[in-house]
Amino acid sequence: GRGTARTAPVPRRGAPLDGAGARRRTQRRLALFVATVLLVVAAVGARLADVQVVGRDRYVAYGVGQRDGSRTIPAGRGAVYDRNGQPFALSVVRFDVVVDPQAVTDPSATARELSQLLEVPTAEVRRKLAADNRYQVLARRVPQDVADRVRDAGVRGISFEEHYVRDHPSGELAASVVGRTVADGGVTEDGRQGISGIEVGYDAELTGTPGTRYYERDPAGNTIAGGREHVEPARPGTDLYLTLDQQLQYAAEQALLERVAETRAAGAMAVISRPSTGEVLAMASVSSDDEGEVSVTTDNRPVTAVFEPGSVNKMI
């Protein structure tokens, strides 16, 4: 009979592949998977190299900045004494009483207790304890004995911040000579603490150098107990000894006050010195106002006032 041509069947779309086709497809998929894995590994490796090698210092600094905290330690200003070591001006420690409202468990009872210790109205303390932040100043510049009573009370969330304030044990004696400083240890626009007299003339010597306390803190900003701590201590300013004698200064001021009041003069000045050395032992000036009240001047007129000497100059 007649012969008929035979042809290989053509696989339909979606039909199962034979063994060779299945292997080729598996190999392609495997190659694609391996290439993808290699790309991912290369990307992760490049990122790790950036973090651990190229940008290491940046990330270390970022981590340290999150964990490490610091606080400035104020430095005491140098004292001013007379020739015998009697103080005209001293720097004394005062405390700001600070509370973390989130650490207070019983605001009402705590407000009543702190109100009595700090002599602050209870309503004001309660308002600060109800704040939604973690820092409130309950009282500023309280003396050591008040801070000790609050500390002994053991109230949770209470801390203390030290400040130095200027104290004048001799009152207004020689105030125009010694001068004044910015209140509460502040500074002027040009960075000085002294604003008049010796305080501004020797400001660089009297001003101390603040220190720093470095510590580890948690994400909330609290100090980590047992964490690393390093303290760079503050250096107080240099003490200054004047040639003034407080007893002579007081006698000179009182004599001028009495004499000007008696004579109804506009004012008077006196300088007591030791001729052999030129040391100034007392320097005082007083004046009377429009109502006849006599008081010690705030400016040191023996060295600031300009006037015609007149007949006083005839001896020269």
Side-chain angles (χ1 to χ4, degrees):
R2 296 181 178 177
T4 57
R6 295 181 178 272
T7 59
V10 178
R12 298 187 303 272
R13 180 178 293 275
L17 297 177
D18 58 9
R23 283 193 299 272
R24 287 194 298 271
R25 185 174 67 176
T26 301
Q27 290 172 354
R28 287 194 301 269
R29 289 180 175 178
L30 181 60
L32 180 61
F33 173 75
V34 171
T36 302
V37 171
L38 290 176
L39 286 175
V40 172
V41 171
V44 172
R47 183 58 177 163
L48 289 175
D50 176 65
V51 172
Q52 297 291 339
V53 181
V54 179
R56 178 179 181 275
D57 294 339
R58 181 173 72 253
Y59 290 104
V60 169
Y62 179 72
V64 169
Q66 285 186 316
R67 187 181 67 256
D68 286 2
S70 64
R71 181 174 297 171
T72 299
I73 302 174
R77 187 173 176 83
V80 180
Y81 298 98
D82 79 342
R83 65 186 303 109
N84 301 310
Q86 298 299 315
F88 282 116
L90 298 172
S91 283
V92 296
V93 178
R94 292 291 183 266
F95 298 89
D96 285 356
V97 182
V98 179
V99 65
D100 176 5
Q102 308 306 315
V104 177
T105 56
D106 190 348
S108 297
T110 302
R112 290 192 298 270
E113 183 177 11
L114 292 176
S115 175
Q116 295 178 354
L117 294 173
L118 299 173
E119 298 182 356
V120 178
T122 305
E124 180 179 345
V125 178
R126 187 182 295 111
R127 175 178 58 82
K128 292 182 177 181
L129 295 181
D132 58 359
N133 55 25
R134 307 205 65 168
Y135 182 90
Q136 288 289 321
V137 178
L138 297 178
R140 296 185 183 276
R141 309 304 192 261
V142 302
Q144 181 73 56
D145 58 336
V146 175
D148 289 341
R149 289 199 299 270
V150 176
R151 187 179 288 109
D152 294 341
V155 180
R156 290 189 58 188
I158 293 293
S159 59
F160 303 88
E161 296 179 353
E162 290 187 4
H163 298 273
Y164 282 95
V165 298
R166 211 58 167 161
D167 183 58
H168 299 87
S170 302
E172 295 299 312
L173 187 66
S176 62
V177 180
V178 176
R180 286 290 183 265
T181 58
V182 180
D184 292 337
V187 296
T188 60
E189 292 182 356
D190 53 5
R192 297 182 305 186
Q193 294 183 15
I195 55 177
S196 65
I198 293 294
E199 292 280 15
V200 68
Y202 289 87
D203 186 75
E205 290 79 7
L206 291 167
T207 301
T209 303
T212 306
R213 184 172 72 89
Y214 300 95
Y215 57 92
E216 286 188 294
R217 61 184 181 182
D218 60 19
N222 301 315
T223 302
I224 298 176
R228 289 182 291 105
E229 183 172 334
H230 172 66
V231 176
E232 294 180 358
R235 298 197 304 270
T238 303
D239 294 339
L240 190 64
Y241 288 81
L242 307 183
T243 61
L244 296 182
D245 184 295
Q246 285 201 12
Q247 292 185 356
L248 286 177
Q249 181 71 28
Y250 178 79
E253 290 183 2
Q254 293 304 309
L256 292 181
L257 289 169
E258 293 172 4
R259 191 59 176 162
V260 169
E262 179 183 348
T263 61
R264 297 182 181 180
M269 293 177 283
V271 177
I272 303 175
S273 66
R274 178 171 290 167
S276 60
T277 61
E279 295 171 291
V280 176
L281 305 179
M283 183 178 290
S285 61
V286 301
S287 65
S288 59
D289 56 21
D290 296 337
E291 298 179 356
E293 293 291 333
V294 184
S295 61
V296 178
T297 62
T298 57
D299 60 324
N300 192 14
R301 292 189 179 182
V303 296
T304 61
V306 179
F307 59 93
E308 174 61 47
S311 297
V312 178
N313 209 35
K314 286 182 179 179
M315 290 188 301
I316 301 175

